[in-house]
């Protein structure tokens, strides 16, 4: 019990916890806190920002985050709480940070059925992002011990082993219900509720997240590795250099994790200004820097 309160303290401070769910254990963080989300990406050691799943405790809570269509409502009623994830458009005043969805206009949401996860989510009130709690290319963990293997110093909320042991089934709507990832809920059960066959490109195969993740495209042109500011441009800085040029700084002290947490928000706010374009200072390619540069290149092309 105090275990859950400890976990909530960590989440409130923008920290990351090991979160048991019925599918697999997750790396949980406050979905409204860009710094927490950036830390999760950094911990996973992924070269790309894969969009994350946002976890909640009730449909009412999640309907403040995304807009449900009729079929999504049917599926939510049938399978939540449980191993089903729905990809839906963000609400206008959605509090979830853009970094959680890697800048996409949609968010993946689900309500887990693990009692400890539900207790935590209800007490915390805010939505929680949680990718599987494994390093890239490692197995998804189904026990506390597996999580501690990949992340020895992480606080892991102590629940029983995951009963599903397989990630949630992901359904998107484009606009017809489409299988994006097979998982904890069999396709047949979903088709029974929908009363017609699901759309899928290749039955039983995982669609590459990188292909789904349409890049975040600002309205203004981006100029990367900029060392100076051209006429009319705004300058997105990184680190202590180029002081006189700086309009916004991803991380004045040159911290790459902080930079990732600011990336989408700062490009978004510079994009709102009238300018000839956005010049972006060089950003190192180590750690999350690779993902930042990857996203910037996509946004610039
Ligand atoms: O069972 C699960 O879903 C576990 C537990 C912890 O809840 N979580 C999980 O998260 O598997 P993760 O990050 O390992 O996988 C999330 C996948 C991404 O790879 C991505 O393909 C998809 O969800 N995804 C997330 N947001 C999306 C979006 N807006 N559009 C399309 N796909 C999305
Ligand atoms: Mg995973």
């Amino acid at each position: 019990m105090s275990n859950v309160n400890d976990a909530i303290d960590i989440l409130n401070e923008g920290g990351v916890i090991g979160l048991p769910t019925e599918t697999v254990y997750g790396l949980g963080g406050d979905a409204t806190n860009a710094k927490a989300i950036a830390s999760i990406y950094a911990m996973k050691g992924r070269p790309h920002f894969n969009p994350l799943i946002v976890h909640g405790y009730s449909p009412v809570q999640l309907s403040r985050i995304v807009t449900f269509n009729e079929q999504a409502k049917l599926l939510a009623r049938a399978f939540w709480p449980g191993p089903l994830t729905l990809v839906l458009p963000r609400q206008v005043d959605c509090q979830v940070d853009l970094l959680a969805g890697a800048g996409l206009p949609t968010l993946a949401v689900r309500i887990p059925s693990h009692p400890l996860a539900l207790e935590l989510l209800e007490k915390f009130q805010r939505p929680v992002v949680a990718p599987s709690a494994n390093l890239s290319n490692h197995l998804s963990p189904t026990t506390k011990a597996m999580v501690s293997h990949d992340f020895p110093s992480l606080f892991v909320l102590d629940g029983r082993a995951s009963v599903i042991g397989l990630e949630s089934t992901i359904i998107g709507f484009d606009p017809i219900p489409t299988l994006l990832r097979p998982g904890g809920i069999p396709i047949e059960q979903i088709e029974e509720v929908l009363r017609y066959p699901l759309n899928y490109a290749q039955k039983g195969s995982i669609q590459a997240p990188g292909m789904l993740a349409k890049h975040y495209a600002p309205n203004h042109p981006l100029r990367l590795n900029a060392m100076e500011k051209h006429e009319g441009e705004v300058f997105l800085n990184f680190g202590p250099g180029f002081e006189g040029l700086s309009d916004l700084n991803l991380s004045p002290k040159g911290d790459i994790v902080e930079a990732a947490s600011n990336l989408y928000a700062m490009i978004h706010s510079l994009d709102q200004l009238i300018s000839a374009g956005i010049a972006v200072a060089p950003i190192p390619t180590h750690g999350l820097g690779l993902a930042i540069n990857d996203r910037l290149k996509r946004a610039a092309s």
Side-chain angles (χ1 to χ4, degrees), residues 34 97-99 216 218 222 234-238 246-252 258-273 278-280 283 296:
D97 194 90
L98 278 174
L99 190 59
Y216 172 70
L222 279 191
V234 289
F235 195 87
L236 181 58
N237 204 357
F238 173 83
S246 192
D247 289 288
L248 284 176
N249 198 326
L250 290 166
S251 172
E258 182 182 42
S261 74
N262 286 327
L263 181 68
Y264 287 113
M266 287 192 175
I267 289 181
H268 182 77
S269 70
L270 290 179
D271 204 28
Q272 306 307 303
L273 303 174
I278 304 168
V280 187
I283 293 165
L296 284 170

mmCIF file of all heavy atoms in Angstrom, residues 34 97-99 216 218 222 234-238 246-252 258-273 278-280 283 296:
data_model
loop_
_atom_site.group_PDB
_atom_site.id
_atom_site.type_symbol
_atom_site.label_atom_id
_atom_site.label_comp_id
_atom_site.label_asym_id
_atom_site.label_seq_id
_atom_site.Cartn_x
_atom_site.Cartn_y
_atom_site.Cartn_z
ATOM 1 N N ALA A 34 7.009 16.508 -19.846
ATOM 2 C CA ALA A 34 7.925 16.223 -20.954
ATOM 3 C C ALA A 34 9.259 15.664 -20.470
ATOM 4 O O ALA A 34 9.874 14.822 -21.127
ATOM 5 C CB ALA A 34 8.164 17.482 -21.779
ATOM 6 N N ASP A 97 1.670 15.543 -22.980
ATOM 7 C CA ASP A 97 2.723 16.243 -23.714
ATOM 8 C C ASP A 97 2.889 15.660 -25.123
ATOM 9 O O ASP A 97 2.770 14.456 -25.321
ATOM 10 C CB ASP A 97 4.045 16.138 -22.960
ATOM 11 C CG ASP A 97 5.057 17.122 -23.505
ATOM 12 O OD1 ASP A 97 5.088 18.257 -23.001
ATOM 13 O OD2 ASP A 97 5.786 16.766 -24.458
ATOM 14 N N LEU A 98 3.179 16.553 -26.098
ATOM 15 C CA LEU A 98 3.344 16.127 -27.493
ATOM 16 C C LEU A 98 4.415 15.057 -27.659
ATOM 17 O O LEU A 98 4.343 14.206 -28.543
ATOM 18 C CB LEU A 98 3.707 17.330 -28.371
ATOM 19 C CG LEU A 98 2.552 18.215 -28.827
ATOM 20 C CD1 LEU A 98 3.092 19.440 -29.549
ATOM 21 C CD2 LEU A 98 1.604 17.447 -29.732
ATOM 22 N N LEU A 99 5.409 15.082 -26.803
ATOM 23 C CA LEU A 99 6.506 14.115 -26.900
ATOM 24 C C LEU A 99 6.020 12.678 -26.696
ATOM 25 O O LEU A 99 6.570 11.745 -27.274
ATOM 26 C CB LEU A 99 7.584 14.460 -25.858
ATOM 27 C CG LEU A 99 8.913 13.725 -25.946
ATOM 28 C CD1 LEU A 99 9.600 13.928 -27.286
ATOM 29 C CD2 LEU A 99 9.835 14.169 -24.811
ATOM 30 N N TYR A 216 6.684 15.073 -37.545
ATOM 31 C CA TYR A 216 6.069 16.320 -37.140
ATOM 32 C C TYR A 216 6.517 17.402 -38.092
ATOM 33 O O TYR A 216 7.699 17.697 -38.206
ATOM 34 C CB TYR A 216 6.498 16.657 -35.715
ATOM 35 C CG TYR A 216 6.069 18.018 -35.266
ATOM 36 C CD1 TYR A 216 4.726 18.283 -35.022
ATOM 37 C CD2 TYR A 216 6.986 19.035 -35.101
ATOM 38 C CE1 TYR A 216 4.321 19.526 -34.623
ATOM 39 C CE2 TYR A 216 6.589 20.294 -34.696
ATOM 40 C CZ TYR A 216 5.249 20.527 -34.461
ATOM 41 O OH TYR A 216 4.849 21.769 -34.068
ATOM 42 N N PRO A 218 6.512 21.233 -39.095
ATOM 43 C CA PRO A 218 6.160 22.621 -38.790
ATOM 44 C C PRO A 218 5.803 23.377 -40.068
ATOM 45 O O PRO A 218 6.113 22.932 -41.166
ATOM 46 C CB PRO A 218 7.437 23.183 -38.165
ATOM 47 C CG PRO A 218 8.540 22.277 -38.579
ATOM 48 C CD PRO A 218 7.946 20.967 -38.981
ATOM 49 N N LEU A 222 12.731 24.457 -41.585
ATOM 50 C CA LEU A 222 13.758 24.268 -40.555
ATOM 51 C C LEU A 222 15.112 24.241 -41.249
ATOM 52 O O LEU A 222 15.273 23.601 -42.275
ATOM 53 C CB LEU A 222 13.574 22.912 -39.863
ATOM 54 C CG LEU A 222 12.551 22.711 -38.758
ATOM 55 C CD1 LEU A 222 12.793 21.377 -38.094
ATOM 56 C CD2 LEU A 222 12.617 23.834 -37.743
ATOM 57 N N VAL A 234 14.116 32.793 -36.775
ATOM 58 C CA VAL A 234 14.232 32.636 -35.328
ATOM 59 C C VAL A 234 15.228 31.512 -35.079
ATOM 60 O O VAL A 234 15.424 30.642 -35.928
ATOM 61 C CB VAL A 234 12.870 32.329 -34.652
ATOM 62 C CG1 VAL A 234 11.984 33.556 -34.669
ATOM 63 C CG2 VAL A 234 12.179 31.151 -35.329
ATOM 64 N N PHE A 235 15.883 31.557 -33.895
ATOM 65 C CA PHE A 235 16.993 30.637 -33.649
ATOM 66 C C PHE A 235 16.692 29.733 -32.456
ATOM 67 O O PHE A 235 16.425 30.202 -31.346
ATOM 68 C CB PHE A 235 18.275 31.443 -33.388
ATOM 69 C CG PHE A 235 19.540 30.612 -33.469
ATOM 70 C CD1 PHE A 235 20.180 30.405 -34.689
ATOM 71 C CD2 PHE A 235 20.084 30.046 -32.322
ATOM 72 C CE1 PHE A 235 21.360 29.648 -34.764
ATOM 73 C CE2 PHE A 235 21.262 29.288 -32.386
ATOM 74 C CZ PHE A 235 21.894 29.094 -33.613
ATOM 75 N N LEU A 236 16.710 28.429 -32.715
ATOM 76 C CA LEU A 236 16.525 27.451 -31.647
ATOM 77 C C LEU A 236 17.900 26.949 -31.236
ATOM 78 O O LEU A 236 18.584 26.265 -31.991
ATOM 79 C CB LEU A 236 15.650 26.288 -32.119
ATOM 80 C CG LEU A 236 15.354 25.195 -31.085
ATOM 81 C CD1 LEU A 236 14.670 25.761 -29.839
ATOM 82 C CD2 LEU A 236 14.501 24.089 -31.708
ATOM 83 N N ASN A 237 18.283 27.327 -30.035
ATOM 84 C CA ASN A 237 19.650 27.073 -29.581
ATOM 85 C C ASN A 237 19.757 25.778 -28.788
ATOM 86 O O ASN A 237 18.762 25.214 -28.332
ATOM 87 C CB ASN A 237 20.117 28.262 -28.730
ATOM 88 C CG ASN A 237 21.628 28.408 -28.698
ATOM 89 O OD1 ASN A 237 22.355 27.588 -29.266
ATOM 90 N ND2 ASN A 237 22.107 29.449 -28.045
ATOM 91 N N PHE A 238 20.999 25.317 -28.643
ATOM 92 C CA PHE A 238 21.298 24.203 -27.742
ATOM 93 C C PHE A 238 22.635 24.484 -27.073
ATOM 94 O O PHE A 238 23.612 24.759 -27.763
ATOM 95 C CB PHE A 238 21.369 22.885 -28.517
ATOM 96 C CG PHE A 238 21.845 21.731 -27.667
ATOM 97 C CD1 PHE A 238 20.958 21.037 -26.849
ATOM 98 C CD2 PHE A 238 23.184 21.361 -27.658
ATOM 99 C CE1 PHE A 238 21.394 19.992 -26.043
ATOM 100 C CE2 PHE A 238 23.634 20.313 -26.856
ATOM 101 C CZ PHE A 238 22.735 19.627 -26.052
ATOM 102 N N SER A 246 20.127 33.421 -29.712
ATOM 103 C CA SER A 246 19.126 32.512 -29.160
ATOM 104 C C SER A 246 17.742 33.125 -28.973
ATOM 105 O O SER A 246 17.582 34.141 -28.306
ATOM 106 C CB SER A 246 19.646 32.022 -27.809
ATOM 107 O OG SER A 246 18.878 30.959 -27.346
ATOM 108 N N ASP A 247 16.710 32.525 -29.583
ATOM 109 C CA ASP A 247 15.327 32.879 -29.257
ATOM 110 C C ASP A 247 14.771 31.926 -28.204
ATOM 111 O O ASP A 247 14.108 32.331 -27.264
ATOM 112 C CB ASP A 247 14.456 32.854 -30.511
ATOM 113 C CG ASP A 247 14.775 34.015 -31.432
ATOM 114 O OD1 ASP A 247 14.412 35.149 -31.081
ATOM 115 O OD2 ASP A 247 15.419 33.795 -32.484
ATOM 116 N N LEU A 248 15.039 30.635 -28.375
ATOM 117 C CA LEU A 248 14.729 29.639 -27.349
ATOM 118 C C LEU A 248 15.930 28.702 -27.282
ATOM 119 O O LEU A 248 16.661 28.538 -28.256
ATOM 120 C CB LEU A 248 13.467 28.843 -27.699
ATOM 121 C CG LEU A 248 12.106 29.523 -27.493
ATOM 122 C CD1 LEU A 248 10.975 28.619 -27.986
ATOM 123 C CD2 LEU A 248 11.890 29.895 -26.026
ATOM 124 N N ASN A 249 16.115 28.079 -26.108
ATOM 125 C CA ASN A 249 17.238 27.159 -25.955
ATOM 126 C C ASN A 249 16.730 25.805 -25.443
ATOM 127 O O ASN A 249 16.088 25.724 -24.387
ATOM 128 C CB ASN A 249 18.267 27.741 -24.986
ATOM 129 C CG ASN A 249 19.618 27.058 -25.122
ATOM 130 O OD1 ASN A 249 19.689 25.856 -25.397
ATOM 131 N ND2 ASN A 249 20.688 27.821 -24.932
ATOM 132 N N LEU A 250 17.006 24.757 -26.229
ATOM 133 C CA LEU A 250 16.553 23.408 -25.856
ATOM 134 C C LEU A 250 17.130 22.978 -24.512
ATOM 135 O O LEU A 250 16.488 22.283 -23.738
ATOM 136 C CB LEU A 250 16.963 22.388 -26.932
ATOM 137 C CG LEU A 250 16.220 22.503 -28.264
ATOM 138 C CD1 LEU A 250 16.936 21.693 -29.353
ATOM 139 C CD2 LEU A 250 14.777 22.037 -28.119
ATOM 140 N N SER A 251 18.367 23.379 -24.258
ATOM 141 C CA SER A 251 18.987 23.138 -22.959
ATOM 142 C C SER A 251 20.209 24.032 -22.822
ATOM 143 O O SER A 251 21.247 23.760 -23.404
ATOM 144 C CB SER A 251 19.408 21.672 -22.815
ATOM 145 O OG SER A 251 20.169 21.512 -21.639
ATOM 146 N N PRO A 252 20.067 25.142 -22.068
ATOM 147 C CA PRO A 252 21.182 26.081 -21.912
ATOM 148 C C PRO A 252 22.435 25.388 -21.381
ATOM 149 O O PRO A 252 23.550 25.764 -21.729
ATOM 150 C CB PRO A 252 20.647 27.100 -20.903
ATOM 151 C CG PRO A 252 19.160 27.030 -21.039
ATOM 152 C CD PRO A 252 18.847 25.600 -21.379
ATOM 153 N N GLU A 258 17.215 16.862 -21.375
ATOM 154 C CA GLU A 258 16.395 18.077 -21.249
ATOM 155 C C GLU A 258 16.002 18.594 -22.633
ATOM 156 O O GLU A 258 14.863 19.026 -22.864
ATOM 157 C CB GLU A 258 17.165 19.162 -20.482
ATOM 158 C CG GLU A 258 16.350 20.431 -20.276
ATOM 159 C CD GLU A 258 17.112 21.536 -19.549
ATOM 160 O OE1 GLU A 258 18.312 21.761 -19.835
ATOM 161 O OE2 GLU A 258 16.496 22.177 -18.694
ATOM 162 N N ALA A 259 16.941 18.518 -23.579
ATOM 163 C CA ALA A 259 16.661 18.987 -24.939
ATOM 164 C C ALA A 259 15.529 18.180 -25.572
ATOM 165 O O ALA A 259 14.630 18.740 -26.203
ATOM 166 C CB ALA A 259 17.924 18.890 -25.793
ATOM 167 N N ALA A 260 15.556 16.862 -25.388
ATOM 168 C CA ALA A 260 14.489 16.019 -25.946
ATOM 169 C C ALA A 260 13.135 16.396 -25.351
ATOM 170 O O ALA A 260 12.125 16.442 -26.054
ATOM 171 C CB ALA A 260 14.795 14.547 -25.683
ATOM 172 N N SER A 261 13.139 16.694 -24.049
ATOM 173 C CA SER A 261 11.864 17.009 -23.395
ATOM 174 C C SER A 261 11.307 18.342 -23.884
ATOM 175 O O SER A 261 10.116 18.584 -23.811
ATOM 176 C CB SER A 261 12.025 17.014 -21.870
ATOM 177 O OG SER A 261 12.709 18.174 -21.452
ATOM 178 N N ASN A 262 12.162 19.217 -24.389
ATOM 179 C CA ASN A 262 11.714 20.533 -24.876
ATOM 180 C C ASN A 262 11.465 20.581 -26.382
ATOM 181 O O ASN A 262 10.908 21.547 -26.891
ATOM 182 C CB ASN A 262 12.767 21.599 -24.538
ATOM 183 C CG ASN A 262 12.768 21.955 -23.067
ATOM 184 O OD1 ASN A 262 11.727 21.928 -22.417
ATOM 185 N ND2 ASN A 262 13.935 22.286 -22.535
ATOM 186 N N LEU A 263 11.928 19.562 -27.103
ATOM 187 C CA LEU A 263 11.998 19.627 -28.563
ATOM 188 C C LEU A 263 10.668 20.007 -29.220
ATOM 189 O O LEU A 263 10.571 21.024 -29.916
ATOM 190 C CB LEU A 263 12.504 18.284 -29.117
ATOM 191 C CG LEU A 263 12.654 18.229 -30.635
ATOM 192 C CD1 LEU A 263 13.793 19.150 -31.082
ATOM 193 C CD2 LEU A 263 12.928 16.799 -31.094
ATOM 194 N N TYR A 264 9.635 19.181 -29.044
ATOM 195 C CA TYR A 264 8.367 19.424 -29.739
ATOM 196 C C TYR A 264 7.714 20.723 -29.278
ATOM 197 O O TYR A 264 7.183 21.479 -30.082
ATOM 198 C CB TYR A 264 7.411 18.255 -29.544
ATOM 199 C CG TYR A 264 7.811 17.030 -30.324
ATOM 200 C CD1 TYR A 264 8.229 15.874 -29.678
ATOM 201 C CD2 TYR A 264 7.782 17.042 -31.712
ATOM 202 C CE1 TYR A 264 8.601 14.752 -30.404
ATOM 203 C CE2 TYR A 264 8.155 15.925 -32.448
ATOM 204 C CZ TYR A 264 8.557 14.779 -31.784
ATOM 205 O OH TYR A 264 8.929 13.687 -32.501
ATOM 206 N N ALA A 265 7.762 20.960 -27.982
ATOM 207 C CA ALA A 265 7.119 22.166 -27.446
ATOM 208 C C ALA A 265 7.781 23.427 -27.992
ATOM 209 O O ALA A 265 7.103 24.395 -28.360
ATOM 210 C CB ALA A 265 7.159 22.151 -25.926
ATOM 211 N N MET A 266 9.122 23.433 -28.067
ATOM 212 C CA MET A 266 9.816 24.652 -28.526
ATOM 213 C C MET A 266 9.666 24.865 -30.027
ATOM 214 O O MET A 266 9.471 26.000 -30.474
ATOM 215 C CB MET A 266 11.294 24.599 -28.123
ATOM 216 C CG MET A 266 11.468 24.827 -26.631
ATOM 217 S SD MET A 266 13.183 25.108 -26.167
ATOM 218 C CE MET A 266 12.945 25.485 -24.417
ATOM 219 N N ILE A 267 9.740 23.800 -30.823
ATOM 220 C CA ILE A 267 9.523 23.969 -32.259
ATOM 221 C C ILE A 267 8.096 24.474 -32.481
ATOM 222 O O ILE A 267 7.856 25.374 -33.283
ATOM 223 C CB ILE A 267 9.767 22.655 -33.026
ATOM 224 C CG1 ILE A 267 11.261 22.341 -33.026
ATOM 225 C CG2 ILE A 267 9.271 22.767 -34.474
ATOM 226 C CD1 ILE A 267 11.631 21.092 -33.775
ATOM 227 N N HIS A 268 7.179 23.894 -31.740
ATOM 228 C CA HIS A 268 5.781 24.313 -31.864
ATOM 229 C C HIS A 268 5.626 25.804 -31.558
ATOM 230 O O HIS A 268 4.962 26.531 -32.291
ATOM 231 C CB HIS A 268 4.914 23.486 -30.923
ATOM 232 C CG HIS A 268 3.461 23.810 -31.000
ATOM 233 N ND1 HIS A 268 2.660 23.362 -32.029
ATOM 234 C CD2 HIS A 268 2.662 24.563 -30.205
ATOM 235 C CE1 HIS A 268 1.436 23.812 -31.849
ATOM 236 N NE2 HIS A 268 1.407 24.543 -30.748
ATOM 237 N N SER A 269 6.253 26.282 -30.482
ATOM 238 C CA SER A 269 6.031 27.688 -30.132
ATOM 239 C C SER A 269 6.778 28.630 -31.080
ATOM 240 O O SER A 269 6.262 29.696 -31.399
ATOM 241 C CB SER A 269 6.327 27.960 -28.654
ATOM 242 O OG SER A 269 7.690 27.882 -28.416
ATOM 243 N N LEU A 270 7.955 28.243 -31.576
ATOM 244 C CA LEU A 270 8.640 29.088 -32.579
ATOM 245 C C LEU A 270 7.848 29.112 -33.884
ATOM 246 O O LEU A 270 7.831 30.119 -34.606
ATOM 247 C CB LEU A 270 10.066 28.580 -32.836
ATOM 248 C CG LEU A 270 11.066 28.775 -31.698
ATOM 249 C CD1 LEU A 270 12.438 28.198 -32.081
ATOM 250 C CD2 LEU A 270 11.210 30.246 -31.318
ATOM 251 N N ASP A 271 7.186 28.008 -34.167
ATOM 252 C CA ASP A 271 6.399 27.903 -35.396
ATOM 253 C C ASP A 271 5.203 28.857 -35.384
ATOM 254 O O ASP A 271 4.667 29.200 -36.435
ATOM 255 C CB ASP A 271 5.932 26.445 -35.560
ATOM 256 C CG ASP A 271 5.641 26.082 -37.009
ATOM 257 O OD1 ASP A 271 6.270 26.688 -37.905
ATOM 258 O OD2 ASP A 271 4.794 25.204 -37.244
ATOM 259 N N GLN A 272 4.778 29.272 -34.191
ATOM 260 C CA GLN A 272 3.645 30.198 -34.068
ATOM 261 C C GLN A 272 4.059 31.634 -34.399
ATOM 262 O O GLN A 272 3.206 32.475 -34.647
ATOM 263 C CB GLN A 272 3.067 30.200 -32.633
ATOM 264 C CG GLN A 272 2.683 28.831 -32.083
ATOM 265 C CD GLN A 272 1.758 28.069 -32.997
ATOM 266 O OE1 GLN A 272 0.692 28.546 -33.343
ATOM 267 N NE2 GLN A 272 2.188 26.870 -33.421
ATOM 268 N N LEU A 273 5.364 31.938 -34.369
ATOM 269 C CA LEU A 273 5.838 33.307 -34.629
ATOM 270 C C LEU A 273 5.910 33.564 -36.125
ATOM 271 O O LEU A 273 6.081 32.640 -36.914
ATOM 272 C CB LEU A 273 7.228 33.499 -34.012
ATOM 273 C CG LEU A 273 7.360 33.241 -32.505
ATOM 274 C CD1 LEU A 273 8.820 33.331 -32.079
ATOM 275 C CD2 LEU A 273 6.496 34.221 -31.726
ATOM 276 N N ILE A 278 13.022 28.600 -39.155
ATOM 277 C CA ILE A 278 13.597 28.281 -37.855
ATOM 278 C C ILE A 278 14.994 27.701 -38.064
ATOM 279 O O ILE A 278 15.143 26.659 -38.711
ATOM 280 C CB ILE A 278 12.711 27.266 -37.092
ATOM 281 C CG1 ILE A 278 11.272 27.810 -36.948
ATOM 282 C CG2 ILE A 278 13.314 26.928 -35.728
ATOM 283 C CD1 ILE A 278 10.259 26.774 -36.481
ATOM 284 N N ALA A 279 15.998 28.420 -37.553
ATOM 285 C CA ALA A 279 17.368 27.926 -37.609
ATOM 286 C C ALA A 279 17.641 27.146 -36.321
ATOM 287 O O ALA A 279 17.286 27.602 -35.236
ATOM 288 C CB ALA A 279 18.342 29.086 -37.739
ATOM 289 N N VAL A 280 18.222 25.949 -36.469
ATOM 290 C CA VAL A 280 18.473 25.118 -35.294
ATOM 291 C C VAL A 280 19.969 24.887 -35.144
ATOM 292 O O VAL A 280 20.645 24.464 -36.087
ATOM 293 C CB VAL A 280 17.753 23.750 -35.401
ATOM 294 C CG1 VAL A 280 17.883 22.966 -34.104
ATOM 295 C CG2 VAL A 280 16.285 23.935 -35.771
ATOM 296 N N ILE A 283 23.215 19.897 -32.819
ATOM 297 C CA ILE A 283 22.911 19.123 -31.617
ATOM 298 C C ILE A 283 23.709 17.826 -31.683
ATOM 299 O O ILE A 283 23.686 17.133 -32.710
ATOM 300 C CB ILE A 283 21.395 18.848 -31.529
ATOM 301 C CG1 ILE A 283 20.660 20.176 -31.302
ATOM 302 C CG2 ILE A 283 21.070 17.868 -30.395
ATOM 303 C CD1 ILE A 283 19.209 20.145 -31.548
ATOM 304 N N LEU A 296 14.463 15.964 -36.279
ATOM 305 C CA LEU A 296 14.677 17.267 -36.913
ATOM 306 C C LEU A 296 14.835 17.104 -38.420
ATOM 307 O O LEU A 296 14.294 17.891 -39.198
ATOM 308 C CB LEU A 296 15.915 17.943 -36.313
ATOM 309 C CG LEU A 296 15.725 18.557 -34.921
ATOM 310 C CD1 LEU A 296 17.071 18.980 -34.343
ATOM 311 C CD2 LEU A 296 14.776 19.768 -34.985
#
